[in-house]
Amino acid sequence: MDMIKALTLGAILSATIALVIGSQGTSAGPLAIHMVHVADAKLYWSWPVFFSGSGLSFGLFLLQR
């Protein structure tokens, strides 16, 4: 259950950071922010931020046990 919570928080973190940085027109180098077309919507996404945010959230959930 902690992993599902961590993945959700990682997705929220990635979408938020990618939206702020990607809307400025940059890929932010190692963050690798790119635009994804989902149905008729455009979404900025970054896999490195997603994985690091999910790992950080999972570690915080483990510390709370």
Side-chain angles (χ1 to χ4, degrees):
M1 189 65 178
D2 286 338
M3 183 57 106
I4 294 171
K5 291 180 195 177
L7 290 174
T8 304
L9 289 175
I12 292 170
L13 177 71
S14 179
T16 304
I17 290 176
L19 176 67
V20 170
I21 295 175
S23 65
Q24 301 298 318
T26 182
S27 67
L31 294 182
I33 295 172
H34 58 278
M35 186 180 297
V36 178
H37 297 281
V38 179
D40 289 332
K42 297 176 187 174
L43 175 73
Y44 290 102
W45 189 254
S46 172
W47 284 109
V49 175
F50 172 72
F51 290 131
S52 61
S54 296
L56 180 65
S57 298
F58 186 69
L60 289 173
F61 285 134
L62 287 179
L63 285 174
Q64 289 180 353
R65 285 187 170 190

